[in-house]
Amino acid sequence: MKRMRYKLCFLAAMLATTHSYAITPVDVELQLLVDISGSVNSTEYDLQMMGYSNAFASERVQDAIINGTEGSIAVQLIMWSGSGNQQVMIDWTLVDSADAAHDLSTVMANIARPFSGWTAIGSAIEYGYPLFVNNDFAGTKNVIDISGDGTNNSGISPAAGSAAALANGVDTINGIVITTDDSVIDQYAEQVVGGDTPFLLAPATFNDFQRAIENKIVAEIQGTTPQGAVPIPEPNISYIFSAALLLIWLKKQFGGSHEAS
C-alpha cells in the first residue's frame, strides 16, 4: 500500500513538472498595453475596456482565432500610465475556443482601474517586452499592441522602448490612438510602431474604438493590415543611427538576456 501511494505521488509530481514546463504553440503571442493615463477619464476608460471585451466576444474575432494555423492565441493585458505605473491585469492566457474568448471578454469587462497619471509610452513598452520570456507559449509571432490618446511626457522615449523590444524578440509593435490630434498620430507612427509589417489605427472617438480593436486583432491573427490604417513612414537615417546606438548599449548592459519565446 505504501509503495502504491509512493508511485501515485511520484506520478503526480511528474505530471506537475511536465505541465509546468509544457510549451503551448499558438498563432500569436499578443500583449495588450492599455493606456489609462490621466487624459483618459472614467467614461473613456469604460468605453475602452468594453471595446476590448466586446471584440473578444465577437464571432469575427473568435472565428479568426479558431481558424488560425494553431487555432489559438495567447493574450496578456497590461495597464500603464507614468514611468513607474505599469501592472499586469490579465497574465498570459490561452484563447483556443469561443468559450475561452468569452471568458476573457468577461474578465476584461470587470477590471477595476488601478491608477492613472502621466503618459510614459516608452516605459510601457520597456516594461512589457521582457514578459514574453518564459511565458509557456511559443507563438509564430510576438506582437505588442499598444493603445493611447496622448504624446509621451514621462519616462524613456517611445523610440528607445520600441527599439529595445524589437531587438529582443518582439516581431511587431502595432498601435491604436483614440484621437484626431496629429501630434499623437505622428509620434505613434514615427516612434512607436515598428517591426514586421506594423500598422497604426486612429479611431476619432472612444465610441469608434471597439470596431477598430476588432479589426486590429483580426489583422494581427491573420497577418494582414486592416483598412483605414495610418501610413507608416520609413525610418529616417538619424532615427536608425540612434536606435543602433541604443541597441549596442542594451547588449552591453543586459548581454542579450531578454530574448522572447
Side-chain angles (χ1 to χ4, degrees), residues 33 35 40 48 80 146-150 176-179 184 188 209:
L33 296 180
D35 178 8
V40 179
Q48 185 174 208
W80 62 274
I146 182 166
S147 69
D149 75 336
I176 180 166
V177 290
I178 313 104
T179 184
V184 179
Y188 269 77
F209 185 76

Side-chain angles (χ1 to χ4, degrees), residues 1-249:
M1 193 66 167
K2 287 183 179 179
R3 181 173 293 182
M4 178 63 72
R5 283 199 298 268
Y6 173 79
K7 286 184 177 179
L8 289 173
C9 289
F10 177 77
L11 287 171
M14 287 293 291
L15 285 171
T17 302
T18 301
H19 175 73
S20 64
Y21 288 97
I23 303 297
T24 303
V26 293
D27 289 303
V28 182
E29 295 172 52
L30 179 61
Q31 184 181 78
L32 304 173
L33 296 180
V34 180
D35 178 8
I36 58 167
S37 57
S39 59
V40 179
N41 65 36
S42 58
T43 299
E44 291 168 341
Y45 172 83
D46 291 340
L47 287 170
Q48 185 174 208
M49 294 315 299
M50 287 309 299
Y52 282 105
S53 174
N54 291 340
F56 279 96
S58 72
E59 289 187 11
R60 186 162 166 253
V61 168
Q62 292 172 8
D63 287 346
I65 294 170
I66 296 166
N67 292 320
T69 302
E70 298 293 341
S72 61
I73 65 173
V75 179
Q76 183 186 52
L77 188 144
I78 296 168
M79 291 185 173
W80 62 274
S81 59
S83 60
N85 299 117
Q86 305 93 15
Q87 185 171 329
V88 175
M89 307 305 295
I90 300 174
D91 210 353
W92 290 107
T93 299
L94 179 66
V95 183
D96 58 355
S97 65
D99 287 343
H102 276 295
D103 289 344
L104 181 61
S105 168
T106 300
V107 174
M108 287 177 167
N110 290 283
I111 296 176
R113 183 177 190 158
F115 47 74
S116 66
W118 297 95
T119 303
I121 301 167
S123 297
I125 296 171
E126 182 184 48
Y127 174 86
Y129 78 79
L131 302 182
F132 284 90
V133 179
N134 298 327
N135 65 1
D136 292 339
F137 293 99
T140 303
K141 53 190 173 182
N142 298 341
V143 177
I144 289 178
D145 179 338
I146 182 166
S147 69
D149 75 336
T151 55
N152 196 79
N153 57 26
S154 175
I156 68 170
S157 72
S162 179
L166 295 173
N168 286 279
V170 172
D171 298 302
T172 304
I173 302 173
N174 293 324
I176 180 166
V177 290
I178 313 104
T179 184
T180 57
D181 186 335
D182 287 339
S183 65
V184 179
I185 295 170
D186 289 346
Q187 183 170 75
Y188 269 77
E190 295 169 5
Q191 301 180 37
V192 178
V193 303
D196 183 18
T197 60
F199 60 80
L200 173 65
L201 296 179
T205 70
F206 280 85
N207 287 318
D208 300 325
F209 185 76
Q210 179 193 332
R211 185 64 178 178
I213 279 290
E214 188 176 314
N215 292 341
K216 194 172 193 296
I217 294 170
V218 169
E220 285 163 341
I221 295 168
Q222 296 177 342
T224 59
T225 299
Q227 284 189 334
V230 175
I232 306 299
E234 291 293 329
N236 60 42
I237 297 300
S238 62
Y239 171 79
I240 294 172
F241 181 70
S242 299
L245 290 178
L246 172 67
L247 299 184
I248 292 170
W249 180 85

